[in-house]
Each structure stands twice: as C-alpha cells, then as structure tokens.
Amino acid sequence: MQFAKRLQPLQSNVFADMDRAKAIALAAGQQLIDLSLGSSDLPAEAHVIEAIAQSLHDRSTHGYLLFNGTFGFREAAANWYEQKFGIKVDPQTEVLPLIGSQEGTAHFPLALLNPGDFALLLDPGYPSHAGGVYLASGQIYPMPLRAENAFLPVFADIPAPVLAQSRMMVLSYPHNPTSAIAPISFFKEAVAFCQQHNLALVHDFPYVDLVFAQTGDWAMNSSQSPIPSTQSLVPSILQADPEKSVSIEFFTLSKSYNMGGFRIGYAIGNAELINALRQVKAAVDFNQYRGILNGAIAALTGPQSGVKSAVATFQQRRDTFITALHRIGWNVPTPKATMYIWAKLPSPWSQNSIEFCTQLVKQTGVAASPGAGFGKSGEGYVRFALVHEPPLLETAVERIAQFLD
C-alpha cells in the first residue's frame, strides 16, 4: 500500500524508540527502572475518583457529550484560571475541553496552517508539537534552546524569510525536557513579537503547579486576592496578553492532579483561536465520557491539598536524585520545576544520547530519554523522569555509576 507522505516524519518517536529498547532489556532479564516517561506514579485524589464513580451509576452520563453539555467543566476551568492568575475568562467562548493538552498541540496546526506554512517550535521540545505541524503539512523552524540563554529562544535569530511564511509559535514553560522556567518579561517579549508578525502564540502549560522554588512572599492579583509568589515564577501567557489578542494556552490535569490516564485538559484564550480548534475537534471526536469531566470539575473546585502533596513528593525526589548524581561525580543543575532532570552527558557520550540510553537500559535496566529524541539541540543531554520513590531513584543512580565506571 501507498501511504501519505505526512507519515514519514512521524516514523521515529522518542517514547516509541525507548519502549522498544525497554522491551529488549526486559526480554534479556533486566530488572527495569523506567525513568523515560513522564507519567506520574501518584494516584488521583479520592474525591476525584468518587465523582467519577458516582457518574457511572447515572444513566444520563452514558451517551454522547456535545459541546453545550461541557459547560459545567468549562465554567470550573474558567473560575480556576481566574482564581490562579487573576485573568477573567468567558467559559462560553474562551475555553475548550481537550483530551489532554497533547490533543491541543497536535490538532491546533490543522486549524491554522496551510501546506508549506511555518511553525516556530522550541528545540528541544515535546514531540507532539512537531507531530501536529507535520500532520498539517506545515514546515518547522526549530528555535534552539541553549544553556547560555537559560534555555529560552532568541527571537532575533529567526530569519525574515521564515517569519514571512510563519503562522504560529509554540512555547512551553516550565519546559519539557529542559525543566527551564520563563519570566513574565520573556512572555511579554513573545507576545509583542507575535503581534508584530501576525503569529498565533501557543503556550503548552502542563507543569504550572510543579514548581519547587519558593520565597514565602505574597502578591496580589487584579481582584486583590492573595496569590503565592511562586506563581510569578511560572506565569500564564495570558498574564502577558490579558486582552487575549494572539494567545491560546493548553492545560492538562495529568500532572497537577495525577490524572494522566483520564485524558482531560482544556484550551483557554483567544476566542477565534478557540473556535477554530473547536471546528477541528468536532470533526475528530465528541468529548470524553461525562463522568471524566465530573471528576475534573471535582479536581478543579475541590481541596487542593493533593496538588501541594504531589509537589512536595517530586521536590523530595528531585533532591534525592540530584544529590545521588553529585555523589557519583555527575554535576547536574537543580531544576526549579517539572518532574524531570535534564543532564548534560559526560564523555564519551556527549554527542550520542541515543546510544547512551540504549546501552544504559540494556546493561543496567535503567531507562531514560535521549535528548536527541526531543530535537537536534537536545543532543548531548539525557532526560530522567522522577516517577519512582527515592529508594528506587537511589538504586537507579547506583546502576548508572556502574555503567559510567
């Protein structure tokens, strides 16, 4: 059979490649410690599970769910957002339910790009950002992220001919895989740049709550409600674009609420961009089971102690893993956010991250993600996901030490 050319750039995927390597290691008898996939091992909160469980016995939840039936969730999302960031949101026109933020980043290019149009993407970046552009028959201009620039792109380096053909820019901070954060000044610069060049500004925002640096100070939002200063470390793109002139943001409940398997998130932002994505979504699916949305409403409106507990857990894991790496002589910076460690590879692996990860899992059973799998500028790094308890993380580093010896 002959298949569409758009499938060709999708044949290689960092997660699929590592999945094959893990299967080979398991078949060879290795005891796997999987640090390659950022899927939280923590459970969803009891009140969330109870809301979903109760829905199962309600026959009215068993049918198709169209857009108007999602208003309760959209309202909860809008209220959550306003309370967190002080930005008013219209749940009717500025919020759209998603099957996780990945659906948003993958489908949005279909709403915006014509064949040959450019999308400006972070390099390294999350694979679905590029995948969506390829599916839309667009072109990618990678914006390199370098340590000397705090893993922020330099907009002045984008060539004028590329900008002339560009329709969108995708950002994502706190960043996967580098764990970098971006200040509000950077987002204001990005908004002004996109306004100047008539670009839609997409912000993928899964790690809004997984922030570890704290000052203990308090700030006031526009409604004079106190908000922790930690939120200023990871601003929403709409705080830099309160008029929602060019911006759309994707949020998922996968990380903050440990609901990755439930596949629930939402888009929020410019009403025209939301409506365009809604048209694509209408051609692909209806919506999730209503019970999942009821669970998400419970998560957004209920006690937030589970979020704080998850953050504390990942901070402890971060500290354990970083300390262990330093102990074996691998000096890695301590990240301020996310569930990842972005580690510069030692010699002789400094330019062969794929071979490093392949051999590491083969010889030790420790699985990690090669930096090259996230883009050309990711070469020379490896990403570890902190998805196991501290004792197992210690064991993983002991095995890494043996591998590097």
Side-chain angles (χ1 to χ4, degrees), residues 120 155 168-169 171 189-202 246-247:
L120 310 175
F155 300 140
M168 61 184 286
M169 174 189 291
L171 302 175
E189 180 187 354
V191 169
F193 184 85
C194 289
Q195 289 172 335
Q196 177 184 354
H197 295 285
N198 195 29
L199 304 174
L201 179 52
V202 179
V246 295
S247 305

Side-chain angles (χ1 to χ4, degrees), residues 91-211:
Q92 190 63 37
T93 61
E94 296 178 338
V95 182
L96 181 70
L98 296 174
I99 306 173
S101 64
Q102 182 164 327
E103 183 205 352
T105 57
H107 283 164
F108 185 71
L110 292 170
L112 205 65
L113 299 182
N114 289 313
D117 287 342
F118 272 98
L120 310 175
L121 305 186
L122 300 179
D123 175 19
Y126 192 67
S128 76
H129 299 173
V133 176
Y134 290 133
L135 289 175
S137 299
Q139 299 186 75
I140 291 172
Y141 179 81
M143 299 184 291
L145 306 183
R146 299 187 175 92
E148 57 265 31
N149 297 324
F151 295 110
L152 299 175
V154 178
F155 300 140
D157 291 344
I158 303 171
V162 170
L163 278 175
Q165 288 183 255
S166 297
R167 298 291 303 280
M168 61 184 286
M169 174 189 291
V170 181
L171 302 175
S172 183
Y173 292 95
H175 184 241
N176 178 12
T178 69
S179 297
I181 59 175
I184 188 68
S185 57
F186 168 79
F187 283 122
K188 289 180 178 179
E189 180 187 354
V191 169
F193 184 85
C194 289
Q195 289 172 335
Q196 177 184 354
H197 295 285
N198 195 29
L199 304 174
L201 179 52
V202 179
H203 187 224
D204 195 11
F205 205 25
Y207 301 98
V208 54
D209 290 306
L210 290 188
V211 185

